[in-house]
Amino acid sequence: MVHAIRIHEYGGPEALRWDEVEVGEPGPGQVRLRQTAVGLNYIDTYHRSGAYKLPQLPAIIGTEGAGVVEAVGPDVTTLKPGDRVGYAPLIGAYAESRLAPADRLIPLPSWIEDRQAAAMLLQGMTAQFLLRSTYAVQPGDTILVQAAAGGVGQILCQWAKHLGATVIGTVSSDEKAELARAAGCDHPIVYTRENFVNRVKDLTDGQGVPVVYDGVGKTTFMDSLDCLRPRGFMVLFGAASGPVPPLDLQVLAAKGSLYVTRPTLFSYVAKRDDLMASAADLFEVVHSGGVTINVGQTFALRDAADAHRALESRATTGSTVLLP
Ligand SMILES: NC(=O)c1ccc[n+]([C@@H]2O[C@H](COP(=O)([O-])OP(=O)(O)OC[C@H]3O[C@@H](n4cnc5c(N)ncnc54)[C@H](OP(=O)(O)O)[C@@H]3O)[C@@H](O)[C@H]2O)c1
């Protein structure tokens, strides 16, 4: 038996329970992992609250982790006991030990520490597809990143800067503005007191930006549209402030033939080749020093409820790691 954080019904952070669970032996295609670090992500709060429904309850939530292979299933030839691996996105992460499909695991190079892997795989591969695929950022672009001091936000700022872009970012406080600036955000805007649409227009000589990366959702979405230049890309990749209400598509014509997309990492790395290519791109930019992974805080895994409270009250910065 090992410990895991499970929910028995959807709810607030108090729904997270430190339960004893049985892991068992790996079946065909599976390995058993002893987990050394687990990543905290905003999606974990959607799974906990029921905003995203799980196939069944009780369930172990969490979608990112790193650890050591303890045992492999009968037909697994690509991994062996003792190998260090990480993974994302894969539900069932909030556990001391777990079973996982071998073909969703990413071998970790020796220079990546377990905590760093658990902090960066999900948020880093998200930044990778957002900046390289959804809208391919070009040198000379000026872009807008909402919640620039957050986990995905700090990686987006650094990577976009590395690609040669000028980065405008929003944050809720002066302290977060400094963190965003340190992550390469050229123009942090404290959107709790400043009108970010006016600032973006000022900073772009009235033109607007070619792309907005918006993981905040409800409270920023419509204003984000007003930051775009004609034919710009509205990339809504999350809903930290709540879901965006239905949109009248005619608005996109009126505001300049805009594009809107609602991408998720799951569809960008569904195939193993795409997963490995995304991870390789991320590892390269981190290894080269183009992106530094900032673990802003850690919590014991058993205190996951405190971590959720901190994340949902905007008290975290950068990435957060839970330690089994
Ligand atoms: N589509 C995908 O595949 C994918 C993958 C990973 C993450 N995401 C999304 O990306 C977003 C960021 O994820 P993350 O894990 O890196 O979290 P995070 O950015 O570290 O935390 C969320 C941030 O959102 C901002 N925020 C604004 N209004 C908020 C509100 N009412 N309540 C809580 N936070 C609010 C806060 O920054 P300020 O205090 O500066 O406002 C907060 O720190 C989330 O929406 C997440 O779902 C999507």
Side-chain angles (χ1 to χ4, degrees), residues 42 46 123 126 150-152 172 176 191 215 237-240 263-265 314:
Y42 222 92
Y46 310 146
Q123 294 169 349
T126 298
V152 180
S172 64
K176 287 190 176 185
Y191 58 179
F237 67 96
T264 99
L265 178 62
R314 305 164 85 161

Side-chain angles (χ1 to χ4, degrees), residues 22-27 30-33 71 90-92 97-101:
E22 193 166 337
V23 180
E25 292 305 313
Q30 289 185 322
V31 308
R32 191 174 69 231
L33 274 185
L90 181 67
I91 193 84
S97 181
R98 71 168 295 171
L99 298 177

Side-chain angles (χ1 to χ4, degrees), residues 40-43 46 122-123 126 129 147-153 170-173 176 191 215-216 219 237-241 262-266 311-316 318:
L40 176 75
N41 291 287
Y42 222 92
I43 193 172
Y46 310 146
L122 195 142
Q123 294 169 349
T126 298
F129 81 75
V152 180
T170 57
V171 293
S172 64
S173 68
K176 287 190 176 185
Y191 58 179
V216 173
T219 57
F237 67 96
S241 69
R262 175 59 179 91
T264 99
L265 178 62
F266 291 89
L311 185 61
E312 291 179 291
S313 63
R314 305 164 85 161
T316 63

Side-chain angles (χ1 to χ4, degrees), residues 253-273:
K255 291 185 187 292
S257 304
L258 304 180
Y259 296 86
V260 173
T261 181
R262 175 59 179 91
T264 99
L265 178 62
F266 291 89
S267 25
Y268 279 82
V269 297
K271 293 187 190 137
R272 174 142 186 100
D273 285 353

Side-chain angles (χ1 to χ4, degrees), residues 38-41 64 112-113 115-121 123-124 127 147-159 171 175-184 282 285-286 289-299 311 315-322:
V38 172
L40 176 75
N41 291 287
E64 177 181 37
I112 299 181
E113 293 172 5
R115 289 185 189 197
Q116 191 187 15
M120 77 174 181
L121 282 171
Q123 294 169 349
V152 180
Q154 287 199 29
I155 301 174
L156 280 175
C157 289
Q158 294 180 74
W159 204 332
V171 293
E175 294 73 27
K176 287 190 176 185
E178 284 316 307
L179 289 170
R181 199 183 294 280
L282 172 65
V285 78
V286 172
V291 169
T292 302
I293 303 304
N294 174 15
V295 179
Q297 50 283 308
T298 62
F299 293 83
L311 185 61
T316 63
T317 59
S319 307
T320 305
V321 176
L322 306 174

